[in-house]
Amino acid sequence: MTRPDSDSDDAGNAETLLSVTFEGPAPTIDVQDKARLFVQLGRAHTIPILHEFESDPGPRRFSELQETLDVPSTTLTDRLRELTADGFITRQSYDEIPPRVEYTATQKTLDLAPMFEYLCRWGVCYEF
């Protein structure tokens, strides 16, 4: 894929990278809501964690995630708590010895698939 020319009619047009459609009119999004979203997604290791769940929805155990992602345990714990609180993943604990906890992607995370695809294509297009 080549980068669109800045002089062409489709420069910057998302259709040149990936066709993504949403039902209904575009929502009005408050600047503060956008900032909250970007702060959440910009936290250390959040995007790789979400991408891991989008690629394999789970259930996944903490140790599997830590091994796959190579994320410090305290950071992974914090991100999993935040992503659970924000509805990106669910946490299921089992009353067993030793205790077992599993994390599973929600539809909210699975719906990120086109965004990850778009960002990857955008990165290739602009040589990131």
Side-chain angles (χ1 to χ4, degrees), residues 50-71:
L50 287 172
H51 187 261
E52 186 67 25
F53 275 106
E54 180 272 323
S55 300
D56 179 3
R60 308 288 294 280
R61 296 184 73 171
F62 184 91
S63 58
E64 292 174 66
L65 292 167
Q66 189 174 24
E67 184 177 308
T68 303
L69 296 165
D70 192 31
V71 176

Side-chain angles (χ1 to χ4, degrees), residues 13 34 46 57 65 107 127:
N13 181 353
K34 285 182 188 177
T46 297
L65 292 167
Q107 190 61 46
E127 301 173 359

Side-chain angles (χ1 to χ4, degrees), residues 56-114:
D56 179 3
R60 308 288 294 280
R61 296 184 73 171
F62 184 91
S63 58
E64 292 174 66
L65 292 167
Q66 189 174 24
E67 184 177 308
T68 303
L69 296 165
D70 192 31
V71 176
S73 61
T74 54
T75 302
L76 183 57
T77 298
D78 291 344
R79 293 301 92 81
L80 292 173
R81 279 188 189 137
E82 293 163 1
L83 293 170
T84 300
D86 287 340
F88 286 100
I89 57 175
T90 59
R91 180 184 188 274
Q92 175 69 47
S93 59
Y94 297 90
D95 191 20
E96 299 175 352
I97 308 256
R100 177 170 56 112
V101 176
E102 294 179 338
Y103 298 91
T104 307
T106 64
Q107 190 61 46
K108 189 176 188 176
T109 296
L110 299 177
D111 287 344
L112 288 171

